[in-house]
Amino acid sequence: MLGLLPWRRKWRPTGLRVRASSRTVAGDIVKQGLAMNIRSAAIATAAALLAAFGAFYFLVPPPAQLNMIDWITPGEGNVTQVAEAVAYGPAARQQLDVWAPASRSAEKLPVVVFFYGGGWHDGDRGSYAFAGRAFANQGFVAVVPDYRLVPGVRFPTFVQDCALAVKWARDHAAEFGGDPARISLAGHSAGAYNAAMLALDAHFLRDVGVDPKVVRAAALLAGPYNFAPFDPGAAQNAFGAWPIVAQTQPISFARRDAPPLLLMQGTADDTVKPHNTTDLAARLKSVGAQVVLRLYPGKSHNDLVMGLSKPFRTNARTLADSVVFLKLHSQ
């Protein structure tokens, strides 16, 4: 019996080593499986993120992309949307949104009506909520309207829609803390054109029962103001059917008693040529109107409107320049 002990002692450790080795192999298999699962999950997550980014980049229009990026960028917590999809006329696109400081004060605030661009054939107010938030954060009641677009309408219908939006602001801004006696205009590209026509061609506001002097000032970004003859495309589609070309051009209506205008333009703009802004500024100066020309060296067409959004304000100081100018003339 004692003679068997060495064998038993030898056998037992060997058996234990075998069983331990089996557990090690099994553990390794489990670990490898977990690692493969983790890698698979990581690949699936990366693929989903890539697909989401692709959809965001290719399917979401650039203004809406900018609005989403602005929305997730920290800052401007003291802003709220106080009205949404308010009708200012009977058509589906005659609706507007209103933004204001979240903290209401007893003092009535200046009002700005912002018109977005899009070649008179594209755009929606939701994609430009960042502009409403930006102005509201600076102490304005900001109105951002839609307006009817080509090909459903042609000039002058979209300008007439904008005049109705200004009328709505005059009649209702006080409900949201705004001062109807301190209305100014702002806009980018085609929206700057619309605002310029309201500021310079007085009949648009008169036709809807609004005194043109209700507009205290306008801050205009990269607008077309002297673009006849029309190039094929957006301008021809929007204005080509109008019989008197001069009546479509803001420069034709430069007048001494126009509201003060801030004309902002990027020198590298290849969408709306910079001469539009410099031509209008020169014409306004020649008739004795109040005008400030602000050129942004090396900035593109979209750089100027991007400057209204939180992530890009250091690239082009269009928001700061607009706010200073509009507040100065809204006192």
Side-chain angles (χ1 to χ4, degrees), residues 217-268:
L220 309 180
L221 303 167
Y225 315 117
N226 185 27
F227 55 99
F230 306 128
D231 291 333
Q236 179 65 36
N237 293 338
F239 302 97
W242 193 253
I244 304 175
V245 172
Q247 293 180 353
T248 68
Q249 303 296 290
I251 198 169
S252 300
F253 302 98
R255 53 190 173 87
R256 181 182 178 85
D257 61 343
L261 299 185
L262 172 61
L263 304 180
M264 294 168 279
Q265 179 66 50
T267 61

Side-chain angles (χ1 to χ4, degrees), residues 289-309:
Q290 296 185 62
V291 59
V292 173
L293 172 64
R294 185 84 72 237
L295 298 178
Y296 300 84
K299 302 306 179 186
S300 70
H301 187 67
N302 289 332
D303 283 339
L304 270 62
V305 71
M306 290 170 68
L308 301 181
S309 69

Side-chain angles (χ1 to χ4, degrees), residues 30-49:
V30 171
K31 290 178 180 177
Q32 290 174 5
L34 287 173
M36 291 178 64
N37 288 339
I38 291 170
R39 284 196 294 271
S40 297
I43 291 170
T45 300
L49 290 173

Side-chain angles (χ1 to χ4, degrees), residues 2 43 67 84 89 98 105 140 150 160 162 166 183 201 206 213 218-219 252 262 267 280 313:
L2 293 174
I43 291 170
N67 184 57
E84 182 178 6
V98 184
S105 64
F140 289 84
V150 175
Q160 293 167 335
C162 292
V166 173
I183 295 175
D201 188 356
R206 288 198 191 102
K213 294 187 183 300
S252 300
L262 172 61
T267 61
L280 180 57
R313 286 178 191 162

